[in-house]
Every structure is written in C-alpha cells, then in structure tokens.
C-alpha cells in the first residue's frame, strides 16, 4: 500500500510539474513557458487575425493580467489586419498536429507570439479555479467562467461576428473612414 | 435559445482628452465567482449567471462643448446563447465610435440601418413583455 501511495504521489507530482506553465503578456509580445496548445488563422486574413491558446494544468499569468489558474485556461484574441502582416509564432520544439496554422500545435517548452496589433476582441474561458488581478478585471472563481470583451479603438466603424462553435471563423473588420458610397459594402458585412 | 438582443444608441458627451476604455462584454458563469471590473461594483455569483455589459467612458465633472468632440457611440449588440455542447455563444456586433459615430449618425443609410435594428428590438421587447398587473388597487384593499 505504501509503495502504491508513493507511486501515486510521484506520478501526480510529475504531472503537476509537467503541466505547470507561465504566460507573460506584454504590449506587443506574449511569452509562454511550459506546455501550451496554440493555433491561429493564416496571416493577413482580411477578416482579422485570430489566435487561440489553451492550457491544461496550472498556469501562472503575468503582464497585463496577473494571476493563476488551475484547470483549463482557453484564450482567443482577434485583432484587425495590419498592413505589415508580421504576426509570428516562435516555438521551441513544437509538436504539430497538422500542416496549417489552423491546426493545433503543442509547445512544450517555450512559445513566443508577436501580435500585429493590440487585440480588439478577447474571449477567455476558465474551467477550474482562478484568481486574477489586472486592468481587465479582478476575479476569484471556482467553476466554469467564460468572458468576452470588445475594446474598439476610437473613431472607427467595427463589425464583429463570433461563434463559439467555429472560433477561427471569427470576422473582425475595422474601417477608419467610409469611402463615398461605401456604406452598402460595410453593411453587407453586417446584415 | 436567444438570450436577447440589445441596442446601444448612446451619445456620451465628454472632453476629448480622456483615455478610451470603451468595452462591450459578456460573461457566462457556472461557478462560485467574486469579480469586479473597472468602474463596477463587486459581483458575487454562486451557480449559473450570464450578463452583458457596455461600458462607455465619461469625463468627470466636464460637459461637452460645441468645440470639443463628444465621445459618441452608436451600434448594435446581439448575443445568442445556445446549447454549450452544440452551438455555444454567438456574438454579432456593429458599432461606430468617436467621429465615425458622428458621421454614421449623419449618414442616411446608417440611420436607416440603426433605426430598423432598434425597431426590431423594441418589437421583440413588446412581444416578450409579461401581462401588466392592474394599476388601480381593489376597492377597500390595503
């Protein structure tokens, strides 16, 4: 019995250690240490750039939000397309489950994302326990919590279509100006 | 199952020097949760809850003036909560902020669009309104 209990302790400690990760989100760059699943839409997609990361286990967050999550932490961000189209993922020894960016990949050690712009749309889902403090919110929860936030920049027209069932088909369009007679084209996106 | 649709037709007049924190948000919880968003009171939930939030920045103790730009917002905000196992959350939003909102409010086509959207939502609200209770108390009642 003692041997089994010892093995259970060893295996659970090993799993806990292997599933512990850290997400550091700074302006213009995000760093992930430890195992994290990630995927995104192809770069320069006219309907906006979308990235999704998911972590199972214990995740410590730093940067714009500080806190810790035990369980599932799933985050989707969408930003309008930048003319430079320079979004990059850089992962150390990733495991890829497909050939396109839309397939999930698993980064085991280190992942860096250089986003194009500050995200306009953020969807967070946590299943488990979480404590977080930051500019977005302060929260302590146990259970399942899903939040979405759209923070549009000033002086724009913005259209967003999001479906939980197909998150990578999210459409986010921003217009700084409306060309003469361009109202119909914009409303075509909306109606 | 449609939770509802909400329309924001807001023109909030503030000075142009404030920091922009315009936020449209939703939350769905099946949890024990204690949370607080900026400029909001503390929210405590135990069990199931969901909600929508629109936070539009305002300046402190300062009215708009004809020379200073108002921070205007005009938009539609549609949320649909489906079965979480098959459909899940759907969001459809269209809005204009700042000067774009001012321009949109002056554009005939956009005015028609937002007017139609507002009409649909008002009609849905009338259909879903529960039967009103009689306004006059019964004679002799306390």
């Amino acid at each position: 019995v003692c041997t089994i209990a010892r093995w259970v302790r060893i295996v659970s400690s090993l799993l806990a250690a292997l599933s512990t990760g850290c997400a550091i989100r700074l302006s213009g760059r995000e760093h992930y240490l430890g195992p994290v699943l990630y995927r995104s839409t192809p770069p320069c997609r006219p309907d906006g750039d979308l990235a999704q990361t998911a972590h199972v286990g214990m995740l410590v967050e730093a940067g714009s939000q500080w806190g810790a999550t035990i369980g599932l932490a799933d985050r989707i961000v969408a930003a309008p397309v930048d003319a430079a189209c320079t979004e990059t993922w850089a992962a150390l020894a990733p495991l890829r489950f497909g050939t396109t960016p839309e397939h999930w990949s698993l980064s085991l050690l280190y992942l860096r994302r250089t986003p194009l712009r500050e995200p306009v749309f953020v969807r967070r889902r946590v299943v488990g326990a979480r404590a977080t403090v930051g500019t977005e919110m302060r929260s302590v929860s146990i259970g399942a919590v899903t939040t979405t936030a759209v923070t549009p920049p000033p002086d724009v027209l913005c259209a967003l279509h999001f479906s939980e069932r197909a998150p990578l088909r999210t459409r986010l369009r921003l217009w700084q100006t409306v060309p003469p007679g361009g109202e119909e084209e914009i409303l075509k996106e909306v109606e | 199952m449609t939770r509802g649709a909400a329309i924001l037709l807001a023109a909030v007049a503030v000075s142009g020097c404030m920091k922009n924190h315009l936020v449209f948000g939703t939350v769905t919880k099946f949890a024990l949760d204690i949370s607080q968003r900026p400029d909001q009171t503390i929210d405590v939930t135990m069990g199931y809850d969901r909600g929508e939030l629109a936070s539009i920045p305002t300046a402190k103790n300062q009215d708009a003036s004809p020379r200073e730009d108002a921070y205007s917002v005009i938009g539609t905000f549609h949320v649909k909560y489906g079965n979480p196992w098959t459909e899940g959350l759907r969001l459809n939003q269209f809005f204009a902020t700042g000067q774009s909102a001012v321009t949109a409010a002056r554009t005939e086509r956009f005015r028609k669009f937002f007017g139609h959207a507002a009409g649909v939502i008002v009609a849905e609200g009338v259909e879903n309104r529960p039967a009103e209770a009689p306004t006059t108390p019964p004679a002799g009642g306390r």
Side-chain angles (χ1 to χ4, degrees), chain A:
Chain A
V1 173
C2 283
T3 310
I4 292 171
R6 187 187 302 160
W7 274 106
V8 167
R9 274 204 303 273
I10 290 170
V11 170
S12 56
S13 302
L14 202 63
L15 283 174
L18 289 175
S19 65
T20 299
C22 180
I24 304 166
R25 298 191 181 95
L26 307 169
S27 180
R29 194 161 289 192
E30 298 174 357
H31 305 270
Y32 297 89
L33 301 169
V36 63
L37 285 160
Y38 66 99
R39 63 176 179 168
S40 66
T41 51
C44 304
R45 195 179 67 127
D47 289 334
D49 285 298
L50 193 128
Q52 182 173 14
T53 54
H55 183 276
V56 179
M58 180 169 178
L59 179 71
V60 177
E61 289 182 273
S64 57
Q65 282 288 130
W66 292 75
T69 303
I70 299 172
L72 168 69
D74 179 9
R75 185 172 182 263
I76 295 172
V77 294
V81 175
D82 195 307
C85 288
T86 53
E87 183 184 57
T88 56
W89 294 93
L92 201 61
L95 297 175
R96 300 188 191 282
F97 304 119
T99 52
T100 67
E102 289 163 312
H103 290 97
W104 286 103
S105 297
L106 174 65
S107 167
L108 292 171
L109 298 172
Y110 173 71
L111 173 70
R112 186 186 68 213
R113 177 173 172 261
T114 309
L116 301 169
R117 288 185 179 182
E118 288 294 311
V120 169
F121 172 69
V122 179
R123 195 279 264 137
R124 289 170 173 269
R125 181 169 56 188
V126 171
V127 181
R130 175 185 69 170
T132 182
V133 176
T135 53
E136 293 175 22
M137 65 185 307
R138 285 176 274 181
S139 171
V140 179
S141 65
I142 299 173
V145 178
T146 302
T147 58
T148 67
V150 181
T151 50
D155 304 323
V156 294
L157 285 155
C158 178
L160 171 75
H161 301 277
F162 169 77
S163 172
E164 194 87 60
R165 196 176 179 187
L168 290 191
R169 290 184 190 164
T170 297
R171 299 208 320 266
L172 174 70
R173 300 290 299 269
L174 256 67
W175 297 270
Q176 299 279 355
T177 56
V178 181
E183 298 91 1
E184 290 300 332
E185 191 185 331
I186 291 172
L187 289 176
K188 221 180 277 179
E189 289 284 330
V190 181
E191 291 174 323

Side-chain angles (χ1 to χ4, degrees), chain A residues 135-136 138-142 144 146-150 152-162 164-165 184 191, chain B residues 20 23-28 30-36 38 86 89-100 109:
Chain A
T135 53
E136 293 175 22
R138 285 176 274 181
S139 171
V140 179
S141 65
I142 299 173
T146 302
T147 58
T148 67
V150 181
D155 304 323
V156 294
L157 285 155
C158 178
L160 171 75
H161 301 277
F162 169 77
E164 194 87 60
R165 196 176 179 187
E184 290 300 332
E191 291 174 323
Chain B
N20 176 23
V23 176
F24 298 99
T26 67
V27 61
T28 310
F30 187 71
L32 168 61
D33 176 73
I34 304 168
S35 57
Q36 184 185 27
T86 58
L89 174 71
R90 288 181 64 185
L91 295 175
N92 289 305
Q93 299 181 14
F94 176 60
F95 47 84
T97 61
Q99 279 299 324
S100 292
R109 186 65 184 89

Side-chain angles (χ1 to χ4, degrees), chain B residues 30-33 44-49:
Chain B
F30 187 71
L32 168 61
D33 176 73
V44 181
T45 304
M46 191 168 73
Y48 178 72
D49 190 20

